[in-house]
Amino acid sequence: QVQLVDSGGDLVQPGGSLRLSCAASGISMDRYSIVWIRHAPGKDRERVSCISRMVGTTYLAESVKGRFTIARDNAKNTEYLQMDSLKPEDTAVYYCATSLERRCNWSDRLLRYDYWGQGTQVTVSS
């Protein structure tokens, strides 16, 4: 069975850093594009980042460029979202997700993915 487990969320002060993890089982992560999505209360879900394994392209939301980066550890079948210079507006539940199509589907207005993590809470507040 395929499972994604995201973790690493916490309460941090503005300007602080967090590293979120997305651990996969049932798939080889290096063959799939993992998308990070966040959902703040009262707002629509928003794509944050994705690396396309198909073409090797990295996508980042404009609001996080220069602050968030993506890395993966093939040995652990885990992808990481490194979040630096955090702002209060980054507060949200963060999810990792993937599609069996193996694409980011970055420009699709619908967030249709086959597998989702359970979500991890990131709160940025002083």
Side-chain angles (χ1 to χ4, degrees):
Q1 66 190 93
V2 177
Q3 185 176 16
L4 301 178
V5 178
D6 39 36
S7 61
D10 206 346
L11 170 65
V12 297
Q13 295 184 2
S17 297
L18 285 173
R19 189 180 73 168
L20 305 184
S21 300
C22 179
S25 60
I27 60 170
S28 295
M29 183 170 285
D30 61 354
R31 298 186 176 94
Y32 287 80
S33 301
I34 303 298
V35 60
W36 286 94
I37 298 162
R38 65 186 180 186
H39 191 185
K43 298 182 179 180
D44 292 333
R45 295 175 298 173
E46 176 189 25
R47 294 179 180 89
V48 175
S49 66
C50 188
I51 297 177
S52 173
R53 306 303 181 190
M54 302 289 287
V55 298
T57 301
T58 299
Y59 299 91
L60 290 169
E62 189 67 30
S63 60
V64 306
K65 285 182 178 178
R67 300 188 298 119
F68 291 11
T69 56
I70 312 166
R72 60 182 169 92
D73 186 336
N74 289 328
K76 296 182 178 180
N77 211 32
T78 299
E79 183 166 299
Y80 304 96
L81 180 66
Q82 178 67 44
M83 306 186 297
D84 298 320
S85 302
L86 284 163
K87 303 175 180 179
E89 52 262 44
D90 295 318
T91 295
V93 178
Y94 285 71
Y95 303 85
C96 63
T98 193
S99 171
L100 292 177
E101 295 182 336
R102 304 186 184 183
R103 302 188 302 172
C104 293
N105 293 327
W106 190 257
S107 60
D108 194 332
R109 69 180 182 88
L110 300 176
L111 299 172
R112 293 181 292 185
Y113 300 99
D114 294 293
Y115 302 103
W116 294 72
Q118 79 285 353
T120 185
Q121 176 71 50
V122 173
T123 302
V124 185
S125 177
S126 60

